[in-house]
Amino acid sequence: MSIYLDNGATSYPKAPGVGEAMLDYVNNVGANVNRSTYATASTAAMILLDTREQLCRLFNFDDPTHVIFTPGMTAGLNMLLKGYLKAGDHVIVSSMEHNAMMRPLIQLEKEGVEFSRIPADRDGIARAEDILPLIRPNTKLVAVMHASNVCGSLLPVKEIGAICRERNIPFILDAAQTAGHYPIDFKELGLSALCAPGHKGLLGPQGIGVMLMDHEFAKSVEPLIAGGTGSASDSEELPPYMPDRFESGTMNIPGVYGLNAALTYILEKGVDHFRAHEEKLTQRFLDGLKDIPVRLAGTEDMAKRVGVIAVDFTGHDNAEAAFALEQMGILTRCGLHCAPSAHKTLGTFPQGVVRFSLGYASTEADVDGALEAIRTIAR
Ligand SMILES: Cc1ncc(COP(=O)(O)O)c(C=O)c1O
């Protein structure tokens, strides 16, 4: 029996009904969407619309036509950054970003886009006011993660959103580690766009992501991918309307069916339910770590974090510790988690940490089992 604590990489198990919904589509529906009008094509189209509406309810967003399905979180961020930024533009990110944000920006830097990082402290905590000295006349975007995939710290996105709104700077959110785990209100945060993967806290399959864009911002983003949409087929231009403008080519329809089943489950339980469960387990984990000679990288303040727990086995090799954990059935992720800048901020570069990431199906027994194993290795 193993204890799965790698939900930051991908959630497991998936929500009840995800596999069945995907199988139902493949075996019993099978039709493409937006191309034909027969019954099964309409059935699939209705599931797509229903899923967009579910996402509107989840993120308090108004318009299902501005909910775009993407091949994943990374694809969504690339679409936004590369479709919006131009030579001479300046972007503000944080020092905690994942490479899904940084690698497209490094590519764009070669084309004349500049960026600055809001510095976070050694616990991965950033202060919203530290954005102020970074703002320049050519600052065209603020793009940050909601929670760190390394140590779980939450960025002060409400305050950052308020600063952006006052100055009319578009604000986009990487919700990879919070969607489904932590409440997100698109309107309250004053977001211009949000990206999330289907396969982490949204409890759906891999290969499907979502991108929500407000009306104004969507007009200023050039689609990265162009092709057939099944609409406006008399023209070789992309249609101007949404969501078609950003959904060229046949999409991952089995993925949408799986995501639909997962969202049904999440909306029925409510995100607050998942947050409360993870809060309780994270607190138990952090309390348990206190008498073990390892370093917790990241804050102990539960109000400022999610259930992604970074442990540095000081005096031991973290990769060996992760291997020893695996031998005891505890599944984690060691290394640098595609986030070198975050590890430099936390003082865990280049040794990395062992990351324990909780999910909706994690239990107190899982936490206790992990703590026991950590104690054995650290001894
Ligand atoms: C904060 C953050 N952003 C972006 C990503 C990229 O997500 P994906 O690999 O699903 O495209 C991840 C994945 O770990 C992440 O944790």
Side-chain angles (χ1 to χ4, degrees):
M1 263 287 284
S2 58
I3 297 177
Y4 185 80
L5 293 175
D6 201 13
N7 290 280
T10 198
S11 55
Y12 182 79
K14 298 304 178 189
V18 169
E20 290 83 347
M22 296 175 77
L23 198 63
D24 176 48
Y25 169 75
V26 172
N27 284 344
N28 305 320
V29 184
N32 209 336
V33 290
N34 254 9
R35 271 85 180 150
S36 316
T37 54
Y38 42 83
T40 47
S42 303
T43 304
M46 290 315 289
I47 290 288
L48 257 66
L49 177 59
D50 186 56
T51 312
R52 295 186 211 274
E53 288 175 346
Q54 289 177 315
L55 289 158
C56 287
R57 288 202 289 285
L58 184 68
F59 296 124
N60 190 26
F61 185 70
D62 281 339
D63 187 351
T65 68
H66 281 58
V67 174
I68 314 296
F69 293 115
T70 64
M73 172 79 210
T74 301
L77 278 180
N78 272 266
M79 286 161 83
L80 287 178
L81 297 171
K82 294 177 180 170
Y84 173 70
L85 294 166
K86 298 184 183 56
D89 289 350
H90 172 247
V91 195
I92 298 175
V93 294
S94 81
S95 70
M96 299 300 290
E97 300 308 319
H98 187 277
N99 273 342
M101 184 79 83
M102 295 318 301
R103 287 184 174 169
L105 282 182
I106 295 290
Q107 285 183 316
L108 286 165
E109 194 180 35
K110 293 176 188 137
E111 292 169 22
V113 172
E114 304 170 312
F115 65 85
S116 313
R117 306 180 209 239
I118 311 166
D121 66 16
R122 230 176 101 86
D123 285 337
I125 301 291
R127 296 181 319 162
E129 60 266 34
D130 287 345
I131 206 173
L132 296 171
L134 304 177
I135 296 175
R136 304 180 190 169
N138 63 335
T139 301
K140 290 286 161 55
L141 184 68
V142 172
V144 298
M145 57 170 27
H146 194 180
S148 165
N149 64 304
V150 176
C151 68
S153 59
L154 284 158
L155 270 81
V157 290
K158 203 166 155 184
E159 295 77 8
I160 293 175
I163 293 173
C164 291
R165 229 180 355 244
E166 264 170 31
R167 288 160 182 76
N168 232 349
I169 303 171
F171 175 31
I172 69 179
L173 190 68
D174 165 351
Q177 296 295 335
T178 48
H181 292 279
Y182 191 87
I184 300 174
D185 187 319
F186 193 98
K187 282 192 230 160
E188 193 191 14
L189 296 180
L191 296 177
S192 307
L194 173 156
C195 288
H199 71 100
K200 297 189 197 256
L202 295 186
L203 306 178
Q206 293 81 7
I208 185 84
V210 301
M211 176 169 89
L212 281 60
M213 282 197 268
D214 86 0
H215 281 237
E216 268 318 294
F217 188 66
K219 285 183 203 147
S220 55
V221 180
E222 190 57 33
L224 193 64
I225 306 292
T229 55
S231 53
S233 291
D234 58 326
S235 170
E236 290 183 342
E237 293 268 354
L238 272 173
Y241 43 80
M242 304 281 281
D244 302 31
R245 190 161 174 73
F246 289 93
E247 288 185 346
S248 288
T250 296
M251 72 168 67
N252 177 0
I253 307 173
V256 178
Y257 267 69
L259 184 59
N260 186 279
L263 289 167
T264 301
Y265 177 72
I266 289 174
L267 289 166
E268 189 188 296
K269 294 270 180 192
V271 173
D272 288 341
H273 164 85
F274 297 113
R275 168 68 180 164
H277 176 69
E278 283 175 28
E279 236 172 4
K280 197 175 80 188
L281 293 187
T282 306
Q283 194 60 60
R284 188 180 182 92
F285 207 121
L286 300 184
D287 290 345
L289 281 179
K290 284 197 175 114
D291 66 348
I292 308 177
V294 292
R295 176 188 165 216
L296 168 75
T299 179
E300 286 181 24
D301 184 348
M302 204 49 237
K304 293 187 177 161
R305 61 167 302 134
V306 296
V308 174
I309 300 156
V311 175
D312 187 1
F313 285 77
T314 44
H316 295 261
D317 183 280
N318 283 317
E320 280 176 15
F323 183 68
L325 284 162
E326 189 186 325
Q327 301 302 300
M328 292 183 244
I330 318 287
L331 310 184
T332 64
R333 181 172 170 205
C334 64
L336 295 171
H337 313 92
C338 304
S341 174
H343 278 281
K344 285 176 188 164
T345 305
L346 297 167
T348 50
F349 188 89
Q351 78 272 23
V353 295
V354 181
R355 182 183 74 179
F356 301 79
S357 44
L358 303 169
Y360 82 107
S362 303
T363 63
E364 288 186 353
D366 292 346
V367 171
D368 295 349
L371 287 168
E372 195 46 48
I374 296 170
R375 199 169 282 118
T376 305
I377 295 164
R379 200 176 283 146

